[in-house]
């Protein structure tokens, strides 16, 4: 109630001030026609005005003044003035005109002035059509201010039926578009009428400067009065191909506050649910090709959200954990990834990110919006262009594998409405070489991890180099090395045996005695060399005291191998002789049968011994 | 001929391989390391089911407290944490957090967090907390490997690591998100035991020192350290009695006990308990006994006279026991040594808690274990365990004695309390691993010897003189071989069943965060009930920051952690009277309860109600415990008042006191108008399957503030007193 009464007092003061205003201040412009349309279907009052300006004075004018009552201009979120030329179908809008807040002298505080610089001075008798779009927040006052769950949500709008202007207005009309036809009350003036969900005032003719006729419209609104008290949008650019957007919302329902109980039973009642003043969904219209979307809050993921996407847009319908009644708050975070190629462009040796400024939520009012653009580490020469004034600052953010930190451009703006969803450009320089730094760091990290392992296995960390245990260990290592060599030689011997056997097989197939003999010869010399190599090893093995357990086995192995060698040679000789004598295959077979048995048994024993040594 | 030709060929080809092959030792090392690596990874990923099924979130009740304190620690630093007085719980008493918690878990998580940040990985502390348990489970497999290697051989170590990696008894408490003390404590427990066994085996001071530090870590992490400080002296005592006293044991135990005790005193929550509490006296007694033993040894060495020594022995032992007994008696009588606590008693005597401490008995995880849950948690280990014991007894050593004692005592405790299955799990896995490894090793060695003998046997032919001696072997071989193969196949079948069972249990039973409930819808689709978080988040966002919330103690930690509001009682059940007061308020009539709530400055009351969804662990089903605990302190509350012929009912036949007590009213407020199931009357309670008895509930001093979408959590606002003017 307090807020309302203060507005009423404001209004009275305004009226007083207007009556006091006598001096015809500004230039000799005349508004020949004013059309105002106020759209209050959402929580934002969006005022569109078409002003036809005529210069009736003698001098040319280059400035035009817009006025708003102070209680409205305090809530002015967005104002743009454009002018259009031509008429009818040929009409086209031209660029926006620059608008500045003005403080003319001698004017009461209760009126705010904005001066618009015209595209070209308006000479005598010329006309110009201006299109003014203004968006106000907080001007729809809930009344009553507290309602129960069963009540409908009523709001009140205060305006003037006549256009407040420092100029004479020849003809004007006002239409107010309401969300539905349920109108509680409205100020009835002459020429006012209701058409469905629209209220029309006017036309009114020939009004003096600063005419003012307060009206109040009291109507039902089902719109979501969702206000983000604070919204932090973090836009992180990764040159690996992704733009990650993270948005933290502190949301509150700014409609009439809920008083008394919240009844789940009534809220869920099927044919006629109670609690229409609450909203349970919010719709976010994300850019197309948005991916990896998540929706969570301080305590975890929120599973109630739906997504629809096509090539033009991605729509995310999110449902807070609980329905929001008037005065209830919530906090949540949504995040999504966008393909880099859709948002990052190059111009004049610089890169620039072209991305929208405001929140993707439909009909959301943001009281304080903070946009943080996080650029890759190593970006330089950063500059920002925005279509409207914002507060700028710079920060450093540390993220994964950062050393110097990533430069962050922080943009702040209060009272943001969807009309501010325009693109901003962040220009910076970045060299592609920097992309490699993070993988290189990871590689270095792993390398550093493995170096101690390598050093540990290679280096000798024993404290006392002369202790018995240490010496024994050294000796044992030597024994093992020798054993390894012995094994290798034995393996080579066995390989030679196999070659010999193979030559025999070839003989039986081809009957070529000469090659067989040659093979025999080469094998002989090889085996001789090997046994020569073996001798010093065996000697050194015997000299180690710690090898006393092993050396008999090794000796046995060598002996067996030699025996095997001899038997094999004998067999070879027998077979070759047999062939030379041209004896039958069966004959030869019979002759070598006993030898063959022994060879196999010996081979088995040698293998066993080898395995035994292998296991040491 | 064919065989003859083939065999050299085979040899040839295998030879070319052999030159490339690593040495057997290197091969074995490579195999071992890669198996261990795989087991390590397996242990980690098997615990990630909950993250995949739900999300990366903290589970259950206590972990929320741990998470909250870890958050505090990382934000405010260690000193603030150590001196933290928490006014958000136990209103109006508050709680000295630093002095009443085991900080090991939080410090561990914070250290991991800080290390990662130092290495430039800017992870969220929640992720660290969620993954702490799987990480430590992986580390436990490594310790299990070394332990198994120490008590048996490397094979047993590997099997133990593999078994413990997926054992449901351990997984139940270490899935991702189960951020509880046990997560690191089992690692610390096993590490301490391993290092101690190693110290006893080697007599090395450094291993004993290691085990003292392991013990310190355990003390800092979990109250279960009492198990170590009783089991180790018991083990030492058994070694002394069985005549296995040695210098190694003396060094290991003394170093571990003295250093461990001094280190443990640094934990504020433990303080001087090592010298003042009855539960720790066994360790001190054994310590003194060790000194007597050592002294006697020395005297024996000096005297060199058996007769003289016998008399001396008698005198010393009697006087030592006398002095010890008198000291204990005086200490207990003067109150210097505190008697055993109720929890300790309830471990030794399973029926104790039921009669004396309802607050312990009311917790489901403190119930005696059912056979089914043994089967569920151990599966084949349950019968591999006795087999392993057999092998241990067959090869008795200091190490195997330890594992046998650990296994038997912990299994007894596991039978007393469901929760302690966790403590028994490592022992069961180790002993079972011995059984598996020993069996498989025996069987394969049988197979391997036979693979060669047939070759020689067949080629030796008929005329060989030696063949007659081998004939008997040859005949028994096919049978042996087939038997061994069959047994091996059986073992592998069992082990694979075990793996399947473990995976199934983990994914179905142990991966639910319990804060988010999931059910299957009519069409097989998954329905998620996220009501708890809905309510807690509502509290967090839409109540005054200094609001006090009254609820049953189960939800205290969650309300403070997620709702960020002050609670009257929480899961740290240190003040029974306070809990009883809440129990009394819940079981009184509304106006009486209103006075209690006014005196406690309560602004909101939170109840959990499953009547709409059929969720059975709600406050109505817990209500009798509230009555019992409340009645234990305030005799005004009498359990029979709420029962009809000893039966707990909520329908028309319920007792009038039940139908009008605060809990009943808050749960069923306006429930009588709701149709929960098609074809049933209004007010049909699906959790209990009855139509409620009191459908016309009017609240006088409270009003519904919020009810979640499935009615699981209901929050009421306590109205201010009506203005007398």
């Amino acid at each position: 109630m307090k807020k309302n009464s203060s507005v009423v007092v404001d209004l009275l003061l305004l009226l007083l001030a207007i009556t006091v205003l006598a001096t015809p201040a500004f230039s000799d412009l005349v508004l020949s026609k004013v059309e105002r349309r106020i759209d209050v279907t959402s929580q934002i009052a969006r005022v569109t005005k078409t002003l036809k300006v005529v210069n009736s004075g003698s001098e040319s004018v280059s400035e035009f003044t817009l006025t708003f009552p102070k209680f409205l201009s305090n809530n002015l979120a967005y104002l743009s003035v454009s002018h259009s030329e031509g008429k009818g179908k040929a009409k086209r809008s031209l660029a926006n005109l620059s608008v500045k807040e003005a403080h003319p002298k001698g004017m009461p505080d209760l009126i705010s002035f904005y001066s618009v610089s015209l595209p070209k001075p308006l000479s005598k008798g010329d006309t110009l059509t201006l299109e003014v779009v203004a968006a106000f927040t907080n001007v729809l006052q809930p009344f009553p201010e507290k309602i129960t769950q069963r009540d409908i949500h009523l709001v009140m709008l205060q305006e003037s039926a006549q256009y407040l202007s420092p100029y004479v207005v020849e003809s004007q009309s006002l239409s107010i578009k309401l969300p539905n036809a349920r109108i509680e009350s409205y100020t009835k003036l002459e020429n006012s009428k209701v058409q469905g969900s629209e209220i029309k005032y006017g036309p009114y003719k020939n009004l003096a400067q600063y005419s003012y006729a307060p009206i109040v419209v009291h109507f039902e609104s089902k719109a979501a009065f969702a206000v983000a008290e604070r919204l932090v949008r973090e836009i992180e650019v990764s040159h690996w191909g992704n733009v990650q957007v993270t948005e933290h919302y502190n949301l509150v329902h700014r409609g009439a506050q809920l008083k008394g109980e919240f009844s789940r039973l009534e809220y869920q009642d099927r044919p006629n649910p109670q609690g229409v003043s609450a909203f349970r969904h919010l719709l976010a219209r994300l850019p197309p090709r948005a991916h990896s979307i998540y929706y969570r809050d301080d305590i975890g993921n929120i599973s109630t959200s739906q997504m629809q996407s096509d090539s033009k847009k991605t729509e995310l319908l999110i449902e807070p954990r609980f329905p929001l009644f008037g005065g209830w708050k919530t906090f949540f975070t949504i995040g999504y990834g966008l393909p880099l190629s859709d948002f990052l462009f190059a111009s004049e040796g610089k890169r620039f990110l072209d991305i929208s400024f405001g929140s993707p939520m439909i009909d959301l009012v943001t009281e304080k919006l903070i946009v943080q653009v996080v650029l890759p580490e190593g970006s330089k020469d950063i500059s920002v262009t925005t279509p409207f004034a914002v507060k700028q600052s710079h920060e450093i953010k540390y993220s994964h594998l950062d050393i110097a930190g990533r430069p962050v451009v922080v943009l702040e703006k209060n009272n943001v409405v969807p009309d501010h969803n325009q693109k901003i450009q962040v220009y910076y320089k970045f060299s592609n070489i920097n992309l490699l730094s993070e993988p290189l760091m990871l590689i270095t990290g792993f390398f550093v991890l493995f170096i101690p392992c390598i050093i540990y296995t290679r280096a000798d960390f024993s404290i006392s180099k002369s202790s018995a245990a240490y010496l024994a260990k050294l000796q044992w290592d030597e024994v093992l090395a020798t054993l390894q060599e012995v094994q290798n030689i034995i393996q080579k011997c066995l390989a030679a045996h196999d070659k010999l056997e193979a030559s025999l097989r070839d003989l039986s197939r081809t009957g070529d005695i000469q090659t067989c003999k040659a093979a025999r010869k080469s094998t002989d010399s090889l085996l001789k060399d090997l046994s020569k190599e073996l001798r010093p090893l065996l000697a050194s093995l015997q000299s180690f005291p710690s090898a006393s357990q092993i050396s008999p086995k090794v000796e046995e192995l060598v002996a067996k191998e030699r025996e095997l060698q001899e038997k094999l040679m004998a067999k070879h000789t027998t077979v070759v002789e047999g062939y030379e004598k041209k004896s039958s295959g069966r004959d030869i077979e019979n002759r070598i049968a006993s030898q063959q048995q022994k060879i196999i048994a010996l081979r088995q024993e040698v293998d066993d011994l080898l395995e035994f040594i292998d296991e040491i | 001929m064919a065989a003859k030709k083939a065999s050299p060929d085979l040899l040839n080809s295998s030879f070319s391989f052999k030159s490339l092959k690593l040495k057997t030792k290197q091969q074995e090392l490579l195999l071992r390391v890669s198996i261990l690596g795989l087991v390590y990874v397996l242990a980690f990923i098997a615990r990630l089911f909950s993250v995949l099924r739900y999300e990366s979130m903290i589970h259950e009740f206590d972990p929320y407290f741990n998470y909250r304190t870890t958050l505090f620690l990382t934000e405010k630093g260690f000193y603030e944490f150590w001196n933290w007085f928490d006014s958000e719980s136990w209103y109006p008493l508050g709680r000295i957090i630093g002095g009443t918690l085991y900080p090991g878990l939080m410090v561990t998580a914070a250290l991991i967090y800080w290390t990662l940040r130092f290495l430039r990985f800017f992870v969220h502390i929640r992720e660290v907390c969620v993954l702490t348990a799987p990480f430590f489970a992986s580390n436990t497999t490594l310790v299990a490997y070394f332990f198994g290697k120490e008590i048996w051989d490397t094979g047993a170590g590997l099997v133990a690591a593999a078994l413990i990696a997926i054992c449901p008894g351990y997984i139940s408490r270490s899935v991702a998100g189960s951020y509880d003390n046990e997560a690191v404590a089992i690692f610390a427990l096993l590490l301490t035991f391993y290092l101690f066994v190693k110290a006893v085996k080697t007599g090395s001071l450094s291993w004993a020192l290691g085990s003292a530090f392991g013990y310190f870590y355990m003390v800092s992490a979990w109250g279960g350290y009492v198990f170590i400080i009783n089991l180790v002296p018991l083990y030492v005592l058994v070694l002394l009695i069985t005549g296995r006293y040695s210098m190694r044991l003396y060094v290991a135990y003394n170093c571990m006990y003295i250093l461990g005790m001094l280190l443990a005193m640094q934990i504020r929550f433990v303080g001087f308990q090592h010298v003042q509490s009855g539960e720790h006296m066994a360790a001190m007694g054994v310590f003194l006994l060790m000194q007597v033993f050592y002294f006697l040894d020395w005297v024996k060495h000096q005297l060199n006279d058996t007769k003289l020594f016998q008399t001396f022995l008698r005198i010393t032992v009697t006087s030592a026991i006398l002095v010890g007994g008198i000291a204990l008696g005086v200490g207990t009588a003067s109150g210097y040594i505190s008697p055993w606590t109720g929890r300790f008693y309830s471990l030794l005597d399973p029926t104790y808690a039921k009669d004396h401490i309802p607050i312990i008995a009311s917790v489901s995880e403190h119930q005696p274990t059912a056979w089914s849950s043994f089967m569920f948690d151990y599966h084949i280990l349950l019968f591999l365990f006795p087999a392993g014991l057999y092998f241990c007894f067959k090869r008795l050593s200091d190490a195997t004695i330890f594992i046998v004692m650990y296994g038997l005592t912990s299994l007894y405790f596991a039978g007393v309390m469901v929760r302690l299955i966790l403590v028994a799990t490592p022992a069961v896995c180790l002993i079972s691993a011995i059984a598996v490894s020993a069996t498989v090793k025996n069987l394969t060695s049988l197979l391997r010897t036979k693979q060669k003998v047939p070759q020689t046997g067949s080629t030796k032919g008929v005329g060989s003189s030696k063949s007659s001696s081998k004939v008997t072997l040859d005949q028994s071989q096919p049978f042996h071989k087939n038997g061994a193969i069959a047994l091996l196949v059986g073992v592998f079948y069992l082990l694979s069943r075990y793996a399947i069972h473990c995976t199934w249990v983990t994914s179905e039973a142990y991966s639910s965060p319990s804060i988010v409930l999931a059910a299957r819808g009519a069409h097989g689709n998954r329905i998620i009930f996220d009501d708890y978080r809905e309510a807690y988040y509502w509290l967090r966002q839409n109540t005054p920051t200094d609001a006090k919330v009254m609820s049953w103690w189960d939800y205290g930690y969650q309300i403070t952690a997620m709702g960020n509001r002050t609670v009257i009682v929480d899961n740290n059940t240190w003040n029974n009277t306070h809990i009883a007061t809440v129990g009394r308020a819940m079981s009184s009539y509304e106006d009486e309860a209103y006075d209690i709530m006014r005196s406690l400055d309560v602004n909101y009351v939170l109840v959990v109600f499953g009547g709409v969804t059929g969720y059975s662990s709600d406050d109505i089903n817990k209500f009798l415990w509230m009555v019992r605990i409340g009645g234990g302190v305030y005799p005004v509350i009498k359990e029979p008042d709420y029962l009809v012929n000893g039966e707990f009912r909520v329908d028309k036949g319920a007792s009038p006191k039940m139908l009008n007590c605060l809990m009943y009213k808050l749960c069923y407020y306006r429930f009588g108008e709701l149709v929960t199931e098609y074809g049933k009357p209004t007010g049909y309670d699906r959790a209990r399957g009855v139509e409620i008895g009191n459908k016309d509930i009017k609240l006088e001093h409270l009003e519904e503030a919020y009810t979640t979408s499935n009615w699981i959590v209901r929050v009421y606002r306590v109205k201010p007193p009506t203005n007398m003017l």
Side-chain angles (χ1 to χ4, degrees), chain B residues 145-336:
Chain B
Y145 162 72
F146 285 111
F147 204 174
K149 191 179 156 196
E150 206 54 46
I151 54 178
W152 202 258
D153 56 13
T154 47
L158 283 180
V159 178
L163 288 182
I164 204 169
I166 53 171
C167 184
Y170 186 27
I171 284 190
S172 67
R173 296 250 153 201
S174 61
V175 291
S178 155
Y179 179 57
D180 210 348
N181 290 335
E182 290 95 325
V184 298
I186 292 305
F187 166 75
L189 179 94
L190 208 59
L191 184 70
T192 314
F193 283 158
Y194 161 64
L195 292 172
F196 184 71
V197 166
K198 186 102 186 169
V200 171
K201 216 174 171 183
T202 56
S204 142
L205 257 179
S206 60
W207 289 115
L209 187 71
S211 97
F213 275 104
Y215 178 65
F216 172 58
Y217 188 49
M218 177 69 188
V219 173
S220 74
W222 195 35
Y225 76 89
V226 178
F227 179 62
I228 298 185
I229 203 66
N230 282 300
L231 179 65
V232 167
L234 193 66
Y235 165 65
V236 172
L237 199 67
V238 167
L239 286 193
L240 291 185
I241 289 168
T242 51
R244 284 169 174 268
Y245 169 79
S246 64
M247 207 50 204
R248 292 175 285 117
L249 184 67
Y250 183 81
V251 168
Y253 182 71
N254 285 347
C255 172
M256 189 262 175
Y257 175 66
I258 294 290
L259 277 173
M261 177 173 75
L262 289 176
L263 285 169
M265 282 181 185
Q266 311 310 312
I267 306 297
R268 270 171 74 197
F269 194 27
V270 177
F272 288 104
Q273 278 185 34
H274 276 80
V275 287
Q276 286 190 339
S277 130
E279 288 140 30
H280 302 73
M281 282 303 126
M284 185 176 275
V286 168
F287 171 69
L288 295 175
L289 197 66
M290 286 287 270
Q291 312 312 316
V292 173
F293 243 82
Y294 185 68
F295 177 67
L296 285 175
D297 228 33
W298 180 72
V299 169
K300 193 178 175 184
H301 180 70
Q302 295 285 319
L303 278 179
N304 256 339
D305 181 354
T306 20
K307 246 187 194 168
L308 218 71
F309 178 69
Q310 286 294 328
T311 21
F312 183 75
L313 183 73
R314 225 168 291 145
I315 296 167
T316 335
V317 168
T318 5
S319 54
I321 290 171
L322 260 177
V323 168
I326 288 169
L328 195 67
V330 168
T332 317
S334 64
Y336 181 77

Side-chain angles (χ1 to χ4, degrees), chain B residues 538-595:
Chain B
W538 184 85
L539 279 175
R540 186 187 184 112
Q541 295 290 338
N542 294 306
T543 57
T545 43
D546 61 345
K548 283 98 194 165
V549 182
M550 182 173 92
S551 72
W552 191 234
W553 61 265
D554 296 20
Y555 317 108
Y557 277 165
Q558 292 180 347
I559 295 174
T560 32
M562 283 191 271
N564 200 16
R565 292 293 174 267
T566 308
V567 293
I568 308 295
V569 290
D570 66 26
N571 309 45
N572 177 256
T573 52
W574 65 277
N575 190 326
N576 193 32
T577 318
H578 218 49
I579 292 177
T581 313
V582 173
R584 185 185 173 185
M586 292 297 190
S587 39
S588 308
Y589 293 124
E590 193 188 347
D591 43 352
E592 292 162 14
Y594 186 62
D595 292 337

